[in-house]
Amino acid sequence: MQRSGPAPDLTPPTPSFVIDVPLLESFLHSFQRALLTHWPNSILSYSFKTNSLPWLVTFMREHGAWAEVVSDTEYELALTLGYEPARIVYNGPIKSRQRLRSALLEGSIINLDAKREVEWTAELAREHPELELKVGLRVNWDLEAHCPGESTTGEDGSRFGFNADNGELDEAISELSSSGVAIAGLHMHRNSRSQGLGVYRAAAGVAAALITSRNLTPEWIDIGGGFFGGVDAQPTFDDYVSTILEVLSPVVDITRTRLIVEPGGSLIAVPVEFHAGVIDVKKVGPATFVVTDASRTNIDPLFRRRRPFDIELHASSTETVPKQILSGFTCMEDDRLMTLSDAPALHRGDRIIFNKVGAYTMCYQSMFIEYQPEVYVRTADSLTRVRRKWGVTEYLQGVE
């Protein structure tokens, strides 16, 4: 008779990040299904800048996602982790001349963002007239005019791309076209406050107007990222893709023009937890401070968050306390994570799990006082470490 062994211990040490693999798979597959349903000729390119943990970007590659990168370093990371150049979308304003040239020659999808990139691309085309070079252009468009209240940049507008209203976009098109470079794509990404459907309807609408007015026949429309993602999220991935399709299908043949999306946070934010342990409890007047081995630098590195974290408390006591201030380990007084009201009293050795912290946390990870924490991936029956805690050895690597 076979007997089952003890249940595996799926509790990681603290402090550490934990990625819920089944939940991550469900988000990725949900977006892929939405694209397959509404715009089968499409590309889901995962945004490296959102979280470039090597295990994660390898997972994305193995599950059919392309790489979306915005620097030479990210491009080289993609190559090192097994992405073929022809499955890399190369964006951003900081491309080097050498990397841009090699990416053009190796077949990456490239959206130019800076004027020097236009010059370098035209230069390469003149040097090699036998090549059929093609690029996309990032469009600088007025989000606030189309969707009042959505802009995150204020009156000064965005610094990215080529402005469609003052002639700079047309100048880029002219310089490239005269050098024999095909304008094969438009990149429409803009950050917004609400991540609502209206933003994507506007982006698609601007793209449609440019396609018509400039007589373009794009091979791709890169709508960018910034999608909302949650277990019961509204809008859904289907809502986003069907809205974009509704606006663009009258002006492009969707069997020939590929839709590119660049999700990051909408895929990885929810599946990641941060586990912290209580290391001390102090009473100061009416306040109770709960000191943890975590820091706000781990889960809110820019100190911008205003809403409370979604947390789970693993407390050893059933007694409740009116007010507890969860604090970090650093020497900054403002390293305070959140305030608990009428919650179980926390004691040394208790655990706090901060949920939905996968976006822009590991990549913004501070090296202040403590270095990068461990990262684990969890399945239904296993917990595997995919990054060890950094110490002095890792910090000193590369020192000459």
Side-chain angles (χ1 to χ4, degrees):
M1 175 188 238
Q2 289 186 337
R3 296 180 180 275
S4 60
D9 184 4
L10 303 182
T11 304
T14 65
S16 62
F17 287 100
V18 177
I19 303 175
D20 185 321
V21 177
L23 191 55
L24 175 61
E25 288 178 334
S26 72
F27 276 91
L28 177 58
H29 293 163
S30 177
F31 213 141
Q32 289 172 327
R33 283 194 302 270
L35 291 168
L36 184 61
T37 298
H38 302 286
W39 201 315
N41 185 27
S42 58
I43 297 169
L44 187 153
S45 55
Y46 172 69
S47 167
F48 272 39
K49 62 183 173 293
T50 308
N51 187 324
S52 58
L53 180 75
W55 177 90
L56 176 61
V57 296
T58 300
F59 172 93
M60 292 294 180
R61 176 180 58 77
E62 292 174 345
H63 287 74
W66 290 36
E68 188 266 329
V69 303
V70 294
S71 70
D72 289 11
T73 301
E74 288 189 343
Y75 194 102
E76 289 159 16
L77 177 63
L79 294 177
T80 301
L81 293 176
Y83 285 86
E84 299 174 1
R87 292 178 67 85
I88 298 175
V89 178
Y90 193 18
N91 294 327
I94 197 173
K95 308 176 188 73
S96 71
R97 179 177 179 274
Q98 180 178 355
R99 177 54 68 191
L100 175 60
R101 289 168 70 95
S102 63
L104 284 165
L105 295 173
E106 292 168 357
S108 297
I109 287 182
I110 299 169
N111 292 308
L112 305 182
D113 199 313
K115 292 178 181 178
R116 69 178 190 173
E117 298 170 3
V118 172
E119 296 171 3
W120 292 338
T121 303
E123 174 188 69
L124 180 62
R126 288 191 295 268
E127 290 175 6
H128 297 280
E130 75 282 3
L131 298 177
E132 296 181 359
L133 299 180
K134 54 188 178 183
V135 296
L137 292 171
R138 182 161 181 182
V139 179
N140 183 296
W141 57 282
D142 191 345
L143 172 61
E144 194 66 17
H146 289 83
C147 302
E150 287 288 359
S151 174
T152 62
T153 58
E155 295 180 358
D156 291 335
S158 171
R159 72 181 190 274
F160 297 111
F162 302 92
N163 191 271
D165 299 321
N166 67 5
E168 289 199 344
L169 178 64
D170 292 309
E171 290 173 6
I173 292 173
S174 177
E175 181 173 354
L176 291 165
S177 299
S178 64
S179 302
V181 180
I183 308 302
L186 296 174
H187 185 202
M188 307 304 300
H189 177 74
R190 284 297 305 272
N191 291 319
S192 67
R193 295 187 181 278
S194 73
Q195 303 166 305
L197 291 176
V199 173
Y200 296 86
R201 187 177 291 109
V206 173
L210 290 171
I211 290 167
T212 302
S213 62
R214 272 64 170 185
N215 195 29
L216 302 175
T217 53
E219 295 184 23
W220 67 82
I221 302 293
D222 188 335
I223 211 70
F227 306 97
F228 183 66
V231 175
D232 299 309
Q234 295 293 331
T236 66
F237 296 145
D238 279 282
D239 292 334
Y240 284 120
V241 182
S242 61
T243 296
I244 296 164
L245 172 66
E246 178 185 353
V247 177
L248 283 171
S249 58
V251 299
V252 299
D253 180 350
I254 68 169
T255 66
R256 296 189 172 199
T257 300
R258 307 183 86 172
L259 175 66
I260 300 176
V261 295
E262 303 168 358
S266 59
L267 299 182
I268 192 56
V270 174
V272 177
E273 310 157 358
F274 191 78
H275 289 238
V278 177
I279 61 175
D280 201 5
V281 178
K282 296 179 177 179
K283 295 184 182 296
V284 182
T288 298
F289 289 93
V290 177
V291 185
T292 72
D293 56 9
S295 168
R296 194 160 177 176
T297 59
N298 296 127
I299 54 177
D300 180 27
L302 299 181
F303 282 55
R304 290 178 178 172
R305 190 182 180 104
R306 296 293 176 263
R307 64 188 186 282
F309 288 97
D310 177 346
I311 65 170
E312 299 173 30
L313 300 179
H314 294 238
S316 55
S317 174
T318 57
E319 174 193 359
T320 60
V321 177
K323 180 180 179 180
Q324 298 176 91
I325 302 171
L326 299 186
S327 304
F329 65 80
T330 72
C331 300
M332 300 184 296
E333 282 286 9
D334 61 348
D335 189 4
R336 302 182 182 190
L337 302 165
M338 62 186 295
T339 299
L340 304 181
S341 299
D342 298 318
L346 292 167
H347 297 282
R348 191 172 65 190
D350 288 346
R351 179 179 296 257
I352 307 163
I353 302 175
F354 295 86
N355 295 311
K356 306 176 184 177
V357 293
Y360 300 101
T361 48
M362 296 183 204
C363 58
Y364 268 119
Q365 196 63 63
S366 171
M367 301 292 278
F368 178 62
I369 299 180
E370 285 284 357
Y371 304 147
Q372 299 194 38
E374 293 182 313
V375 182
Y376 290 82
V377 297
R378 185 182 61 226
T379 65
D381 56 6
S382 68
L383 183 74
T384 305
R385 189 178 70 176
V386 295
R387 186 181 75 190
R388 67 176 179 267
K389 182 183 185 300
W390 277 34
V392 173
T393 299
E394 289 78 13
Y395 186 71
L396 291 177
Q397 63 188 337
V399 174
E400 296 181 2

